[in-house]
Amino acid sequence: MSTKAPRGGEGTAKEGEEGEEAVLLPQDRTFPKAVYFIVGNEFCERFSYYGMRAILALYLHRVLLFTEDDATAIVHGFIFTAYTMPLLGGMLADGLLGKYATVLYLSFVYSLGQILLALSAVKNMFDDLPRWSSVLCAMCGLLGVAVGTGGIKPCVAAFGGDQFRPEQVRLMSAFFAFFYFIINVGALISTIVTPAVRHNVGYDVAFAIPAALLVISTIIFWCGRKAYHMVPPSGNVVGLVFHVCVHAWRENRRRGEKHGGHWLDSATEKYGSDVVRDVKSVVHVLVVFLPLPVFWTLYDQQVSRWVFQAAHMDRHIGTWLVLPDQMNALNSILVIVMIPLFLHILYPVLRRCGIALRPLQRMGMGLFLCAVAFVVTGCLQMAMDDRPDQSVHIAWQVPQYVILTAGEVLFSITGLEFAYSQAPSSMKSVLMA
């Protein structure tokens, strides 16, 4: 896998022996200055996204008057769109604009989407207009949010990784864990605050807060422009991967012969060994990530079906009434607890016992736990169906959150680091998608 060369003026390091990490100078033991702008941007952006997403299902059902089933379909249609946009963002970043420009420009689209969504919820604005006018405003807003959040998603993490030199392997690994930690701090605060604002003030202010945070996020990212290390785009990498694969397939068919090498080796003569090697890395990662859509499809049920499930439960804890869309905060709390627990206790203990979990093993365990979480969810729902409404206590949702979050930590963080480490330098944003 090709990597970028060390940047000048940032200190030197001695290469470790036997492939060990290099010995870093004192200034290399902390994150580069540019990372803090990226992390600040990510905190505000995730606050904006998760705050909006937390109240979206109830807004569609209670204000725009969709049924629970239709609201669920819209939420997951929005999430599906957001999950398809990272490919577009990765292509723009790696092949045309570069990561910085892609994040900045798509943040403008993202901000416009959040503002439109907030306007759709403003009281009395659409009173003299047909219902479809507020629905149209909300749907246009959701489209802008989906394009923005999905488009910048792979670029921000990869851009953060670009700020490290090749010998800073452990520091970069710590960055990805810290990056994911910050995501969940932003999500935790927003999924507590935004539903509370929705309940006590209204949907208009509840949507306006995420919109304001996104504008702040864009400003923070722009302010770090002079500190960033920019990796220039390297052309249409997706098209290159496609053409290499097609050419190799055609050559193999034309020759009609089997050989002991990789099936892509037949494209070496036309495209060169370096390009073919990079494409092999891409294909390898894509095969590993085939289960990704299944995981995230299940995972995001917690902002639709799990919210509606919570709305039909007894949500009183003493004198405190838990709002149904506030239960999502439990996921963020558990992630914040589990990341250091896994990194500093569970994994080291397993290594001392002679059990070193490889990335693919961790990801496989994460998928398994995700499936278990939904078995538990289904059992809970069957128990609720046999009892009067709001007679089952909200605490019975905790086990499914615990199991799902453990699966998320095993699968998502490991996958983030695996994708960046395995991707060729010219294709990092595309693979982070």
Side-chain angles (χ1 to χ4, degrees), residues 313-324 326-327 330 333 392-398:
M313 302 179 77
D314 176 10
R315 292 177 281 109
H316 291 87
I317 301 178
T319 58
W320 179 37
L321 176 65
V322 179
L323 302 176
Q326 282 183 326
M327 279 299 290
L330 183 58
I333 294 171
V392 177
H393 197 268
I394 193 71
W396 285 105
Q397 271 201 330
V398 173

Side-chain angles (χ1 to χ4, degrees), residues 55 62 193-203 206 321 323 325:
I55 62 175
R62 295 179 178 177
V193 171
T194 311
V197 173
R198 168 195 68 77
H199 181 70
N200 294 297
V201 182
Y203 283 96
L321 176 65
L323 302 176
D325 39 359

Side-chain angles (χ1 to χ4, degrees), residues 348-356:
V349 168
L350 289 175
R351 281 195 294 268
R352 291 192 190 100
C353 296
I355 306 173

Side-chain angles (χ1 to χ4, degrees), residues 3 16 20 24 38 52 75 90 105 119 123 145 159 168 188 196 204-205 231 239 279 307 310 381 405 409 419 431:
T3 55
E20 293 181 1
L24 301 178
I38 296 170
M52 176 278 299
V75 168
Y105 296 155
L119 288 175
K123 297 173 182 177
V145 172
F159 192 51
Q168 295 177 303
L188 169 62
D204 49 357
V205 178
V231 177
V279 173
V307 171
Q381 188 61 50
T405 306
V409 172
L431 280 183

